[in-house]
Amino acid sequence: MDNLNWLLQGFEQAATPMNLLYACIGVLLGTAVGVLPGIGPAMTVALLLPVTYNVSPSAAFIMFAGIYYGGMYGGSTTSILLNTPGESSSVITAIEGNKMARAGRAAQALATAAIGSFVAGSIGTMLLVLFAPAVSSFAVTLGAPSYLAIMLLALVAVTAVLGTSKLRGCISLLLGLAIGLVGIDFLTGQPRATFGIPQLSDGIDIVVVAVAVFALGEALWVAAHLRRKPAEVIPVGRPWMGGSDWKRSWKPWLRGTAYGFPFGALPAGGAELPTFLSYITEKKLSKHKDEFGKGAIEGVAGPEAANNASAAGTLVPMLSLGLPTNATAAVMLTAFVSYGIQPGPTLFEKEPLLIWTLIASLFIGNFLLLVLNLPLAPLWAKLLRTPRPYLYAGILFFAALGAFAVNLQWLDLALLLTFGLLGLMMRRFGLPVLPLIIGVILGPRIERQLRQSLQLGGGDWGSLFTEPVAIIVYIVIAVLLIAPLVAKVVRAHYPVAAPDFPDGPAGGDSTDTREKAHA
């Protein structure tokens, strides 16, 4: 009950005209920078941090929260319209969202992303209010073996999106894992696959890889085939979601929220893993499996909800443990310290009004995000009516700008071109793009957790099975691997009998029908 009273006081503080103005500024800035590839909310908060030194802490954090949520949604806009992820967490959205846009359903994709962001963000913030202490306590109990098991589960699940050819999918996945190896070995400190280039010591940024493979690869592919067929203007289509779209979206919104919040709260979480798992789940549960890969709205609704629920979950370990789980949370933690505030277990006792004002501003910023972006969905969709030569010229410009902005290094432009050519070749030979991205994201994390687990266990492989959560996840992995083999054996020994039709389709002679059925 005390938490509810503090939340009401937080709303009273956040709803002042000046704080509402800062919330609007944060949402607008976050959305604006979110649509630029590579210039995400973390960089924006970092750039604005010195500007807010003369602003009250509550106003500063309200604006930062607006930038955070706005950046999360803004990244989905270019993912859907231009196949250019603005953030690594928007990579999954590009798979189905861009296909929907090409089919004249850009407005529906943008609308389900906006509403899903609002639903997931609101539920996630409410869960932050209700369960922050319990979730934080659980997250702290998980060790490296549990994190390793969860990530291996995600890697096993990637087989569901390897495409029609398992061989090609595995080749793509191995390419991603190889790219993830570049950089300094965190345990020995030795450079690995850096080719003597010091700038590669920190590894290759996932945003550069995603923008290159998705956007630049797509632009080069279109340019290579532009002369073979005339440039077409992609239709905008019906401007709003229909009844069928709502029916197919609301369950993915809720399931995406259920994935996103717990993973955001995990100290080794992040938004990439839950968005990927959400996509896998929706593909498994959908009644329209044939639409996946061609523009399924569930493939946009679920990952976008997971993305924004993860953003709310990220604040749980940051506020209660002082432990940031992504770059934006790390910058916000720096902002807390700059104001002389130390996040941790005693933060809710020492600065209750500030923290509950921040949480209340998340509800307000989330609502402002919906009000701002939902009416703009048809307007954003009209960008697709731009002739393709001009459209892809703009994509190349923003891709280069975003890649350069990640580290402000010219090397990233060379990497952009290199991986853009790789994306072109992958399209040429039919290699799926998603396994490569998943390999780049999960490869370094899996290696880190594996080596930490073995290091803590003295090199004993049995140390990987010392935690209950890890054991349960490994059982799930075993079931996922064995179930298809068992099903195949069962089908081989017990073939499904062909249906027998006593009467023909119109009640006449059924001899031909019966022969065709058994044939």
Side-chain angles (χ1 to χ4, degrees), residues 220-232:
L220 293 174
W221 179 257
V222 169
H225 294 80
L226 199 57
R227 293 184 179 180
R228 299 184 184 180
K229 58 181 179 179
E232 58 185 69

Side-chain angles (χ1 to χ4, degrees), residues 231-256:
E232 58 185 69
V233 177
I234 301 174
V236 173
R238 186 163 45 86
W240 301 111
M241 292 174 64
S244 175
D245 296 328
W246 282 92
K247 185 178 180 180
R248 293 175 58 179
S249 293
W250 72 270
K251 289 182 180 178
W253 289 337
L254 298 180
R255 285 192 288 260

Side-chain angles (χ1 to χ4, degrees), residues 85-92 205-207 210 271-272 275 437 441 445:
E87 283 282 294
S88 58
S89 54
S90 300
V91 168
I92 307 300
D205 195 280
I206 178 59
V207 174
E272 295 87 357
T275 55
I437 300 298
I441 293 173
R445 299 185 183 186

Side-chain angles (χ1 to χ4, degrees), residues 251-503:
K251 289 182 180 178
W253 289 337
L254 298 180
R255 285 192 288 260
T257 304
Y259 273 123
F261 184 80
F263 274 94
L266 292 174
E272 295 87 357
L273 195 56
T275 55
F276 168 64
L277 293 176
S278 174
Y279 180 81
I280 295 296
T281 301
E282 298 311 322
K283 188 173 182 179
K284 289 287 187 183
L285 299 180
S286 176
K287 297 179 181 179
H288 307 85
K289 291 183 174 62
D290 57 316
E291 292 187 20
F292 276 81
K294 302 175 183 177
I297 195 169
E298 297 92 336
V300 179
E304 271 305 297
N307 183 10
N308 282 268
S310 175
T314 296
L315 297 177
V316 174
M318 191 199 77
L319 296 177
S320 58
L321 303 174
L323 183 63
T325 59
N326 61 18
T328 308
V331 177
M332 291 183 70
L333 184 65
T334 304
F336 272 101
V337 175
S338 69
Y339 282 104
I341 302 170
Q342 184 60 49
T346 61
L347 181 62
F348 281 85
E349 297 178 4
K350 293 182 177 179
E351 299 285 349
L353 184 58
L354 173 63
I355 299 307
W356 288 107
T357 300
L358 171 63
I359 294 174
S361 71
L362 294 176
F363 287 103
I364 295 174
N366 212 20
F367 177 73
L368 291 175
L369 198 62
L370 181 69
V371 172
L372 172 67
N373 286 290
L374 197 56
L376 291 178
L379 183 63
W380 283 115
K382 289 183 179 179
L383 286 174
L384 293 176
R385 302 185 67 178
T386 307
R388 284 195 300 174
Y390 302 107
L391 182 63
Y392 283 96
I395 292 175
L396 292 177
F397 171 76
F398 284 112
L401 177 64
F404 182 72
V406 171
N407 297 307
L408 298 178
Q409 295 177 356
W410 291 103
L411 177 65
D412 287 332
L413 295 178
L415 292 174
L416 182 76
L417 178 59
T418 302
F419 289 117
L421 293 173
L422 175 63
L424 173 64
M425 297 306 295
M426 291 178 69
R427 284 165 173 79
R428 169 64 181 82
F429 293 104
L431 298 179
V433 174
L434 180 60
L436 181 141
I437 300 298
I438 296 301
V440 176
I441 293 173
L442 293 184
R445 299 185 183 186
I446 290 175
E447 181 195 13
R448 178 179 292 269
Q449 299 300 337
L450 173 62
R451 296 175 72 174
Q452 284 183 350
S453 300
L454 294 176
Q455 191 176 22
L456 293 173
D460 182 10
W461 287 89
S463 61
L464 302 181
F465 305 93
T466 55
E467 297 185 3
V469 173
I471 295 173
I472 293 172
V473 173
Y474 284 127
I475 292 174
V476 173
I477 292 175
V479 171
L480 290 176
L481 293 176
I482 295 173
L485 299 177
V486 173
K488 187 175 181 180
V489 172
V490 170
R491 282 195 298 267
H493 287 80
Y494 302 98
V496 178
D500 192 13
F501 301 99
D503 296 312

Side-chain angles (χ1 to χ4, degrees), residues 175 177-185 190-204 411 414-415 418-419:
L175 283 173
L177 293 173
I179 295 171
L181 289 175
V182 176
I184 294 291
D185 187 325
Q190 297 297 314
R192 188 170 55 185
T194 59
F195 305 102
I197 303 174
Q199 291 87 343
L200 292 179
S201 299
D202 293 330
I204 300 174
L411 177 65
L415 292 174
T418 302
F419 289 117

